[in-house]
Amino acid sequence: MVTDILQQISYGVYVVSARDKDKPTGCIANSVMQITSSPAIIAVSMHHDNHTHAVIRQSGKFAVSVLAEDSDPAIIGTFGFRSGRDTDKFAQVNSRTVEDVAVVEDACGYFVCEVVGQTETPTHTIFLGAVQKSELFGNRTPMTYAYYHAVIKGKSPKNAPTYVPAATESAKGPQAKRKFQCSVCGYVYEGEELPEDFVCPVCGVPSTRFSEI
Ligand SMILES: Cc1cc2nc3c(=O)[nH]c(=O)nc-3n(C[C@H](O)[C@H](O)[C@H](O)COP(=O)(O)O)c2cc1C
C-alpha cells in the first residue's frame, strides 16, 4: 500500500469533548467530518484507548470545538498529548458549558452532538452525532491539519488515525540542520543549537525534554 496518497487527504484540527460524570474532558481529533446536512450528522473517529472514547460512549454526547489558526498551540499540547485519566485538561483553558458539555473559548466555534450511531474498526470507533446546538464565535480562520504540520510543525501521536511513524516522516527531508525533538509531543526544532530557555511551542515543556534526532 502506498501511504503517501493518504497523506493528501485534508482535515481540520478539533477538540472533541464530553462530560465525564462531574468533570469535563476531551482530546484533539483531526478525523471529524460532516456526513449529512439535514439532519446535520457529524462523524468522529476515536481510538479505543483514549479516555474520551470511554466518556463519549458512557455519556452519549460530545462537542466539537473548531480550532483556529491562531488558537493557542498549547491547547493541542494539553488535549492531544496528555490523557484526561490523569490531567484536568479543561482547568488549563477558558471554556464554557453548553448542553452539559464543555467547549473551548479559544476557537472558531463549536457544535454539540448526541450520539446516534457507532461503527467499530479494530482500533477506533466512529461515532456519529446529530448536531443539537452550534455557535460561531467570530470570523477566525479554521486550522487545517496541513497548517498544523507545516506552520506549527506539530506531530500526531499514535492514537491519531493519520499517525505516521517518525522514521517515515524524517526520511522525507534533507538533514542540513541539527534537529531536536520534543519527547512529549514530537515537535521538531531545527537549528545549530537548542536554546536553553527554549519552550516547546506545542506542548509547553522546557528544552530539557528535547533530544537530538
Ligand atoms: C493533531 C492530532 C490529531 C489527532 N487526531 C485524533 C483522532 O482523530 N482520533 C483519535 O482517536 N485521536 C486523535 N489524536 C490523539 C488524541 O488526541 C490523544 O491520544 C489524546 O492524548 C487522548 O486523550 P484522552 O486519553 O484524554 O482522550 C490526535 C492528536 C493530535 C495531536
Side-chain angles (χ1 to χ4, degrees):
M1 181 175 74
V2 179
T3 53
D4 287 12
I5 188 64
L6 301 182
Q7 288 161 38
Q8 307 305 312
I9 301 174
S10 304
Y11 307 91
V13 182
Y14 310 93
V15 173
V16 175
S17 51
R19 185 161 189 86
D20 179 14
K21 297 180 195 97
D22 52 357
K23 192 182 79 177
T25 192
C27 72
I28 297 292
N30 61 280
S31 60
V32 171
M33 68 182 289
Q34 184 169 0
I35 303 296
T36 58
S37 74
S38 185
I41 294 185
I42 303 294
V44 57
S45 173
M46 191 56 58
H47 199 285
H48 295 157
D49 292 347
N50 288 359
H51 180 57
T52 310
H53 179 277
V55 176
I56 294 176
R57 186 153 266 177
Q58 183 243 319
S59 65
K61 236 183 196 188
F62 64 90
V64 176
S65 301
V66 179
L67 292 184
E69 283 185 353
D70 59 353
S71 291
D72 184 350
I75 295 173
I76 302 175
T78 302
F79 283 85
F81 294 92
R82 291 173 203 162
S83 181
R85 285 186 195 92
D86 46 40
T87 311
D88 185 356
K89 298 184 183 184
F90 273 96
Q92 297 171 47
V93 293
N94 290 330
S95 65
R96 66 175 80 169
T97 302
V98 185
E99 306 268 316
D100 218 26
V101 186
V103 297
V104 174
E105 296 272 6
D106 186 5
C108 297
Y110 67 84
F111 41 91
V112 182
C113 300
E114 187 188 319
V115 175
V116 291
Q118 301 176 28
T119 299
E120 287 306 326
T121 75
T123 53
H124 289 69
T125 301
I126 300 153
F127 289 106
L128 293 176
V131 178
Q132 308 288 294
K133 190 166 170 127
S134 58
E135 199 175 337
L136 202 56
F137 290 153
N139 194 19
R140 297 175 71 175
T141 306
M143 185 188 294
T144 64
Y145 194 55
Y147 182 94
Y148 172 67
H149 282 284
V151 181
I152 299 186
K153 303 217 179 295
K155 302 282 174 199
S156 301
K158 275 202 170 133
N159 286 3
T162 45
Y163 171 70
V164 179
T168 314
E169 285 192 294
S170 62
K172 280 182 175 172
Q175 303 280 314
K177 290 180 188 160
R178 291 172 73 192
K179 292 185 176 185
F180 302 86
Q181 186 164 37
C182 175
S183 61
V184 176
C185 72
Y187 172 82
V188 176
Y189 173 89
E190 293 185 29
E192 312 237 310
E193 284 297 333
L194 179 69
E196 236 172 72
D197 59 355
F198 187 75
V199 172
C200 179
V202 175
C203 69
V205 297
S207 61
T208 48
R209 302 295 296 272
F210 280 67
S211 27
E212 190 163 4
I213 53 171

